[in-house]
Amino acid sequence: MPKIVDGDERREFIARIAAEVIATEGIERATIREIARQAGATRGLVEHHFRSKAEVIEKALDWLNRRYLLREQRVLQGKQGLAALEARIRCFLPISPAARREWRLRLRFWSSNDPQVQAVQRKRLAETRRLFCDDIVSAVALGQMPSPADPLLSAERLLSRVAGLSAQAVVDRHHYTSDHLLAELSCMMDELRQGRPM
């Protein structure tokens, strides 16, 4: 374990290692002992900073979501309407090695039966639907696309397509290459501009 003095930094480091263990081994195998081993720390040190495995997993999920949101903030600067929506989706898609690792981790969390993990995931999905909807409403106001009958339903369908493509790309990255995913994104944006239902 690298020399870290600050307690918050140590918790963050352990959460990142836990996320990596969950991505490769699954939540069930991400034991305190295994997380400690891969962090180069003792089990006692991990337990000093976290009351339970559930708390470590919660922090790992928080780490994943904050990492994504920071990247999204950077790519969205100065964009609105369809430009913002396209940038948001590009950020969401597993088109880089880092994004593919995040998606492997995200799918592990999606398959979790833990009520707390599910609650956090539901909240993130609802927030993403809302942001997609806000971008669509903004695009309509800017004259970039016709107004859909139900912007929230359009956002929901768009999110389902993007999430489905992303999950398939994790399973079959040789077919769902970055170029393939970006071509699909281009098709989706064209459909929105033309007012075709998602």
Side-chain angles (χ1 to χ4, degrees), residues 66-77:
R66 282 186 292 109
R67 176 179 159 131
Y68 169 78
L69 290 171
L70 285 171
R71 189 169 70 246
E72 187 184 59
Q73 281 178 346
R74 285 195 304 270
V75 302
L76 286 176
Q77 286 186 352

Side-chain angles (χ1 to χ4, degrees), residues 7-197:
D8 289 338
E9 285 182 21
R10 185 166 282 152
R11 279 173 59 85
E12 186 83 0
F13 174 77
I14 293 169
R16 181 172 62 79
I17 296 300
E20 292 171 5
V21 174
I22 292 166
T24 56
E25 307 290 332
I27 291 177
E28 297 75 20
R29 293 186 181 171
T31 62
I32 296 287
R33 185 184 308 279
E34 182 60 18
I35 292 165
R37 186 186 73 77
Q38 293 203 28
T42 64
R43 178 177 176 158
L45 180 66
V46 174
E47 290 174 336
H48 173 74
H49 290 284
F50 296 94
R51 292 186 300 268
S52 64
K53 174 183 170 178
E55 189 179 353
V56 179
I57 290 170
E58 185 180 337
K59 182 71 173 173
L61 179 54
D62 178 64
W63 174 83
L64 170 68
N65 287 331
R66 282 186 292 109
R67 176 179 159 131
Y68 169 78
L69 290 171
L70 285 171
R71 189 169 70 246
E72 187 184 59
Q73 281 178 346
R74 285 195 304 270
V75 302
L76 286 176
Q77 286 186 352
K79 295 181 174 70
Q80 56 182 335
L82 288 182
L85 181 60
E86 185 170 6
R88 196 183 305 280
I89 295 172
R90 280 181 71 105
C91 190
F92 196 80
L93 289 169
I95 57 176
S96 70
R100 281 193 292 274
R101 282 194 302 275
E102 284 181 15
W103 262 100
R104 280 198 299 274
L105 178 56
R106 188 172 283 117
L107 291 176
R108 297 283 191 180
F109 283 123
W110 281 7
S111 64
S112 170
N113 292 321
D114 183 289
Q116 178 64 27
V117 170
Q118 289 179 344
V120 173
Q121 295 294 76
R122 282 194 301 273
K123 184 178 178 183
R124 282 294 311 135
L125 284 169
E127 176 67 5
T128 303
R129 280 193 300 271
R130 184 190 67 76
L131 291 169
F132 278 20
C133 183
D134 289 350
D135 290 337
I136 289 170
V137 169
S138 172
V140 170
L142 292 167
Q144 298 172 339
M145 61 176 282
S147 180
D150 185 341
L152 186 57
L153 180 59
S154 292
E156 184 176 314
R157 289 175 174 163
L158 182 59
L159 176 57
S160 293
R161 281 178 68 177
V162 173
L165 279 169
S166 298
Q168 291 178 79
V170 171
V171 174
D172 187 0
R173 65 186 181 89
H174 298 294
H175 179 76
Y176 292 94
T177 62
S178 297
D179 286 344
H180 185 119
L181 294 174
L182 291 173
E184 288 293 326
L185 171 57
S186 180
C187 286
M188 286 184 259
M189 301 310 295
D190 285 344
E191 288 171 19
L192 287 168
R193 288 186 189 95
Q194 294 163 17
R196 290 160 56 193

